[in-house]
Amino acid sequence: VIEITDLGNWAQTPRLEGPVAGRSGDHLIVAGGRSLDDDVMVWNDTVHMLDLRSGQWHAHPDPLPRPTAHAISLTHPTHGIVVVGGTDGTRHHAESFLLRQIDGRLEYEALPDLPVPCAHGSGVLIGDMVCVVGGTTSPDAGTASARTWTLNSSEHEPVWIERAPLPDGGRMLAVAGTDGRRLLLLGGCELVDG
């Protein structure tokens, strides 16, 4: 357990909105996100890591494959961080990958692309099952998505499967949780076209 006072000093890093975040081994990884620099929105690909043994933050020399914010990021207990979708400010993405830190270097392992681009969505892991719900498919989307997808990451050749849509319409920026069997979606907002 880390006490809030044990997080170290991270004053040199800008405030980040919507970064990829999760744990890989003995490191907390915070990467990408967007920030406001002199009233200009900047989409980041930088990677910052907290060594959980020493409590020290450091910038990693290797960037994300592309600037990424508002992706779904989920910590898998043994495989690293599952990253799905996100946006670079110009378009939303469908790429999915595992991100992990091994012996000081970052490793990326491709997962199947989500069938549609997604940013501002929500997700959970239920065992090895990646569950993704809602979000938006483009920066100028007029409505939030009600679509729900699952990917069994333990399969030899995993594929995304579309599940029943949200019963009450599309949502973005919701909080997702699980009781170990079900996806629980709390809050969020909808977009009204027009």
Side-chain angles (χ1 to χ4, degrees):
V1 175
I2 296 176
E3 300 277 332
I4 194 71
T5 57
D6 295 335
L7 291 178
N9 182 357
W10 203 19
Q12 75 280 5
T13 304
R15 294 179 185 257
L16 297 173
E17 179 184 315
V20 168
R23 181 178 178 159
S24 176
D26 291 330
H27 289 82
L28 176 66
I29 298 174
V30 179
R34 66 181 198 169
S35 57
L36 199 57
D37 185 14
D38 293 326
D39 293 328
V40 175
M41 192 59 67
V42 177
W43 301 85
N44 300 291
D45 62 0
T46 55
V47 177
H48 300 276
M49 299 173 65
L50 172 66
D51 185 322
L52 297 172
R53 295 164 298 182
S54 70
Q56 297 297 309
W57 283 102
H58 67 276
H60 198 278
D62 298 328
L64 289 174
R66 61 176 162 74
T68 303
H70 302 292
I72 296 160
S73 53
L74 309 166
T75 298
H76 188 283
T78 57
H79 300 310
I81 305 165
V82 178
V83 181
V84 181
T87 182
D88 59 15
T90 302
R91 68 185 189 98
H92 288 7
H93 297 272
E95 292 88 2
S96 302
F97 59 90
L98 286 169
L99 168 63
R100 57 185 157 247
Q101 183 279 143
I102 297 178
D103 297 329
R105 68 184 189 284
L106 292 180
E107 288 189 357
Y108 299 93
E109 180 182 335
L111 293 171
D113 288 353
L114 194 64
V116 295
C118 181
H120 309 286
S122 304
V124 295
L125 279 171
I126 302 175
D128 288 326
M129 185 73 66
V130 179
C131 304
V132 170
V133 62
T136 57
T137 58
S138 70
D140 59 353
T143 59
S145 174
R147 296 175 91 173
T148 302
W149 303 90
T150 60
L151 177 87
N152 187 341
S153 65
S154 68
E155 291 179 350
H156 178 66
E157 294 185 21
V159 295
W160 287 101
I161 298 171
E162 187 164 11
R163 304 296 182 169
L166 293 173
D168 59 349
R171 258 194 248 187
M172 60 183 276
L173 305 173
V175 173
T178 182
D179 63 1
R181 297 180 303 117
R182 297 174 292 185
L183 166 70
L184 308 170
L185 196 63
L186 310 164
C189 61
E190 62 182 342
L191 291 176
V192 179
D193 200 8

